[in-house]
Amino acid sequence: MHLDEMLEFNRKFVESKEYEAYTTDTYPNKKMVIFTCMESRLIELLQRSLNIQNGDVKMVKNAGAIIRKPFDSIMKSILVAIYNLKADEVVVIGHHDCGMSHVNVDALTDNMIERGIKQETIDTLKHSGIDFDDEFHGFNTVEESVEQSVEIIRNHPLLPQGIKVHGLVIDPGTGKVDVVTRED
Protein backbone atom coordinates (compact mmCIF):
# COMPACT_ATOMS: atom_id res chain seq x y z
CA MET A 1 0.00 0.00 0.00
CA HIS A 2 1.37 3.42 -0.98
CA LEU A 3 0.12 5.06 2.21
CA ASP A 4 2.23 2.74 4.36
CA GLU A 5 5.31 3.60 2.30
CA MET A 6 4.57 7.29 2.68
CA LEU A 7 4.04 7.01 6.43
CA GLU A 8 7.29 5.08 6.88
CA PHE A 9 9.15 7.71 4.86
CA ASN A 10 7.55 10.43 7.00
CA ARG A 11 8.63 8.73 10.22
CA LYS A 12 12.25 8.72 9.00
CA PHE A 13 11.93 12.29 7.66
CA VAL A 14 10.84 13.61 11.04
CA GLU A 15 13.25 11.44 12.99
CA SER A 16 16.22 12.74 11.00
CA LYS A 17 14.89 16.35 11.23
CA GLU A 18 14.87 16.84 7.45
CA TYR A 19 11.97 19.26 7.96
CA GLU A 20 14.39 21.87 9.28
CA ALA A 21 15.38 22.77 5.70
CA TYR A 22 11.77 23.85 5.06
CA THR A 23 11.15 25.96 8.16
CA THR A 24 9.28 29.17 7.42
CA ASP A 25 6.35 31.12 8.85
CA THR A 26 2.74 31.24 7.66
CA TYR A 27 3.04 34.42 5.58
CA PRO A 28 4.08 34.00 1.94
CA ASN A 29 7.48 35.57 1.24
CA LYS A 30 6.35 36.77 -2.20
CA LYS A 31 2.96 37.97 -0.84
CA MET A 32 1.26 35.93 -3.53
CA VAL A 33 -1.46 33.32 -3.78
CA ILE A 34 -1.33 30.94 -6.73
CA PHE A 35 -4.47 29.14 -7.84
CA THR A 36 -3.69 26.21 -10.11
CA CYS A 37 -4.78 22.76 -11.17
CA MET A 38 -4.29 19.64 -9.06
CA GLU A 39 -2.35 18.15 -12.01
CA SER A 40 0.26 15.67 -10.76
CA ARG A 41 2.75 16.74 -13.45
CA LEU A 42 2.88 20.18 -11.84
CA ILE A 43 3.71 19.18 -8.27
CA GLU A 44 7.39 20.07 -8.62
CA LEU A 45 7.53 21.47 -12.17
CA LEU A 46 5.39 24.54 -11.46
CA GLN A 47 7.47 25.63 -8.49
CA ARG A 48 10.80 25.00 -10.19
CA SER A 49 9.80 26.66 -13.46
CA LEU A 50 8.82 29.86 -11.58
CA ASN A 51 11.55 29.78 -8.90
CA ILE A 52 9.08 29.27 -6.06
CA GLN A 53 10.63 28.00 -2.85
CA ASN A 54 8.97 26.64 0.28
CA GLY A 55 7.23 29.53 2.03
CA ASP A 56 7.12 31.83 -1.02
CA VAL A 57 3.42 31.57 -1.91
CA LYS A 58 0.07 30.26 -0.79
CA MET A 59 -0.99 27.49 -3.17
CA VAL A 60 -4.66 26.66 -3.82
CA LYS A 61 -5.64 23.84 -6.19
CA ASN A 62 -8.64 22.15 -7.75
CA ALA A 63 -9.45 20.20 -10.90
CA GLY A 64 -8.75 22.50 -13.85
CA ALA A 65 -8.00 25.69 -11.88
CA ILE A 66 -11.65 26.57 -12.36
CA ILE A 67 -13.70 29.09 -10.42
CA ARG A 68 -17.32 29.16 -11.47
CA LYS A 69 -19.03 30.71 -8.46
CA PRO A 70 -17.84 33.83 -6.62
CA PHE A 71 -18.32 32.26 -3.19
CA ASP A 72 -16.94 28.77 -3.74
CA SER A 73 -14.20 27.35 -1.51
CA ILE A 74 -11.41 28.47 -3.85
CA MET A 75 -12.48 32.10 -3.74
CA LYS A 76 -12.82 31.92 0.03
CA SER A 77 -9.25 30.58 0.24
CA ILE A 78 -7.98 33.41 -1.96
CA LEU A 79 -9.73 36.03 0.18
CA VAL A 80 -8.32 34.53 3.38
CA ALA A 81 -4.83 34.59 1.84
CA ILE A 82 -5.31 38.28 1.01
CA TYR A 83 -6.91 39.45 4.25
CA ASN A 84 -5.25 37.22 6.85
CA LEU A 85 -2.00 36.08 5.26
CA LYS A 86 -0.78 39.30 3.61
CA ALA A 87 -1.00 38.22 -0.03
CA ASP A 88 -1.34 41.17 -2.40
CA GLU A 89 -1.16 39.39 -5.76
CA VAL A 90 -3.14 36.48 -7.23
CA VAL A 91 -1.99 34.30 -10.10
CA VAL A 92 -4.27 31.78 -11.81
CA ILE A 93 -2.24 29.12 -13.62
CA GLY A 94 -3.92 26.67 -15.97
CA HIS A 95 -2.08 24.11 -18.04
CA HIS A 96 -2.17 22.60 -21.51
CA ASP A 97 -3.45 19.04 -21.87
CA CYS A 98 -5.72 19.39 -18.84
CA GLY A 99 -8.04 16.55 -17.91
CA MET A 100 -10.86 19.06 -17.39
CA SER A 101 -10.84 20.16 -21.01
CA HIS A 102 -13.73 18.66 -22.93
CA VAL A 103 -15.03 16.58 -20.00
CA ASN A 104 -17.74 14.20 -21.16
CA VAL A 105 -20.23 14.38 -18.30
CA ASP A 106 -22.14 11.31 -19.52
CA ALA A 107 -18.94 9.22 -19.57
CA LEU A 108 -18.04 10.54 -16.11
CA THR A 109 -21.48 9.54 -14.82
CA ASP A 110 -21.08 6.10 -16.41
CA ASN A 111 -17.72 5.76 -14.61
CA MET A 112 -19.42 6.63 -11.33
CA ILE A 113 -21.97 3.87 -11.88
CA GLU A 114 -19.24 1.38 -12.86
CA ARG A 115 -17.42 2.24 -9.60
CA GLY A 116 -20.50 1.50 -7.48
CA ILE A 117 -22.57 4.67 -7.32
CA LYS A 118 -26.21 3.67 -7.73
CA GLN A 119 -28.26 5.15 -10.55
CA GLU A 120 -30.88 6.00 -7.92
CA THR A 121 -28.34 8.21 -6.12
CA ILE A 122 -27.54 10.07 -9.33
CA ASP A 123 -31.25 10.44 -10.13
CA THR A 124 -31.98 11.74 -6.63
CA LEU A 125 -29.20 14.31 -6.91
CA LYS A 126 -30.43 15.45 -10.31
CA HIS A 127 -34.04 15.71 -9.08
CA SER A 128 -32.77 17.69 -6.07
CA GLY A 129 -31.38 20.40 -8.35
CA ILE A 130 -27.81 19.20 -8.83
CA ASP A 131 -26.98 19.80 -12.49
CA PHE A 132 -24.19 17.37 -13.39
CA ASP A 133 -23.41 19.30 -16.58
CA ASP A 134 -23.01 22.52 -14.58
CA GLU A 135 -20.98 20.85 -11.82
CA PHE A 136 -18.63 18.73 -13.91
CA HIS A 137 -18.28 20.32 -17.36
CA GLY A 138 -14.80 21.33 -18.33
CA PHE A 139 -13.70 23.95 -20.81
CA ASN A 140 -12.86 24.31 -24.48
CA THR A 141 -9.54 26.16 -24.17
CA VAL A 142 -7.33 26.58 -21.14
CA GLU A 143 -6.85 30.26 -21.99
CA GLU A 144 -10.63 30.91 -21.86
CA SER A 145 -10.87 29.01 -18.59
CA VAL A 146 -8.03 31.02 -17.02
CA GLU A 147 -9.61 34.28 -18.22
CA GLN A 148 -12.96 33.25 -16.68
CA SER A 149 -11.37 32.48 -13.31
CA VAL A 150 -9.34 35.71 -13.39
CA GLU A 151 -12.46 37.76 -14.16
CA ILE A 152 -14.39 36.23 -11.26
CA ILE A 153 -11.53 37.12 -8.91
CA ARG A 154 -11.00 40.63 -10.32
CA ASN A 155 -14.71 41.45 -10.09
CA HIS A 156 -15.31 39.93 -6.68
CA PRO A 157 -17.15 42.37 -4.39
CA LEU A 158 -14.80 41.53 -1.48
CA LEU A 159 -11.53 41.92 -3.40
CA PRO A 160 -9.76 44.99 -2.02
CA GLN A 161 -8.39 47.73 -4.24
CA GLY A 162 -4.82 47.27 -5.41
CA ILE A 163 -4.78 43.46 -5.57
CA LYS A 164 -3.28 42.45 -8.89
CA VAL A 165 -4.73 39.35 -10.56
CA HIS A 166 -2.91 37.61 -13.40
CA GLY A 167 -3.57 34.58 -15.59
CA LEU A 168 -0.93 32.20 -16.92
CA VAL A 169 -0.78 28.88 -18.74
CA ILE A 170 2.02 26.36 -18.21
CA ASP A 171 3.11 23.54 -20.48
CA PRO A 172 3.29 20.42 -18.25
CA GLY A 173 5.90 18.90 -20.55
CA THR A 174 8.44 21.71 -20.61
CA GLY A 175 7.46 24.13 -17.82
CA LYS A 176 7.17 27.01 -20.31
CA VAL A 177 4.77 29.65 -18.99
CA ASP A 178 2.74 32.02 -21.17
CA VAL A 179 0.85 35.08 -19.98
CA VAL A 180 -2.88 35.08 -20.73
CA THR A 181 -3.68 38.29 -18.86
CA ARG A 182 -1.83 40.48 -16.40
CA GLU A 183 -2.46 43.57 -14.33
CA ASP A 184 0.33 46.12 -14.02
Side-chain angles (χ1 to χ4, degrees):
M1 178 179 270
H2 296 293
L3 179 59
D4 292 332
E5 293 170 12
M6 292 167 73
L7 292 172
E8 178 58 23
F9 180 89
N10 177 258
R11 185 187 65 72
K12 292 175 182 174
F13 179 87
V14 173
E15 194 174 87
S16 64
K17 298 187 179 194
E18 290 181 54
Y19 58 84
E20 290 176 348
Y22 304 99
T23 302
T24 186
D25 64 22
T26 192
Y27 302 106
N29 299 328
K30 294 186 179 187
K31 296 187 176 189
M32 178 182 287
V33 58
I34 291 178
F35 170 48
T36 191
C37 184
M38 64 184 195
E39 171 62 51
S40 58
R41 294 174 290 177
L42 299 182
I43 290 173
E44 290 187 49
L45 180 66
L46 178 71
Q47 286 85 335
R48 292 184 190 250
S49 69
L50 294 173
N51 192 31
I52 297 169
Q53 307 302 313
N54 192 57
D56 280 350
V57 302
K58 291 298 179 186
M59 189 77 69
V60 182
K61 297 181 178 189
N62 77 2
I66 297 171
I67 299 176
R68 291 211 173 100
K69 299 171 186 163
F71 287 94
D72 69 8
S73 63
I74 296 298
M75 195 62 221
K76 289 175 192 172
S77 296
I78 290 169
L79 291 170
V80 167
I82 291 167
Y83 284 106
N84 287 0
L85 303 171
K86 303 179 183 180
D88 59 15
E89 201 164 5
V90 180
V91 181
V92 176
I93 305 177
H95 69 91
H96 296 291
D97 189 32
C98 182
M100 285 301 293
S101 64
H102 307 290
V103 168
N104 181 325
V105 176
D106 292 331
L108 180 69
T109 305
D110 290 344
N111 286 339
M112 291 176 185
I113 292 168
E114 286 176 24
R115 301 272 315 256
I117 304 299
K118 294 180 180 168
Q119 181 66 52
E120 297 83 40
T121 301
I122 292 170
D123 293 341
T124 299
L125 290 170
K126 287 181 178 181
H127 293 311
S128 299
I130 304 296
D131 183 335
F132 272 45
D133 288 320
D134 186 47
E135 293 297 328
F136 293 109
H137 79 275
F139 49 82
N140 291 324
T141 72
V142 66
E143 292 84 3
E144 287 175 9
S145 180
V146 166
E147 286 177 3
Q148 176 191 341
S149 293
V150 165
E151 285 307 306
I152 288 173
I153 298 167
R154 282 182 181 162
N155 294 306
H156 199 280
L158 298 178
L159 188 75
Q161 291 287 328
I163 300 296
K164 298 198 183 316
V165 184
H166 316 288
L168 309 174
V169 174
I170 187 170
D171 182 323
T174 66
K176 181 179 185 311
V177 174
D178 294 309
V179 175
V180 175
T181 179
R182 74 179 287 159
E183 276 187 304
D184 291 315

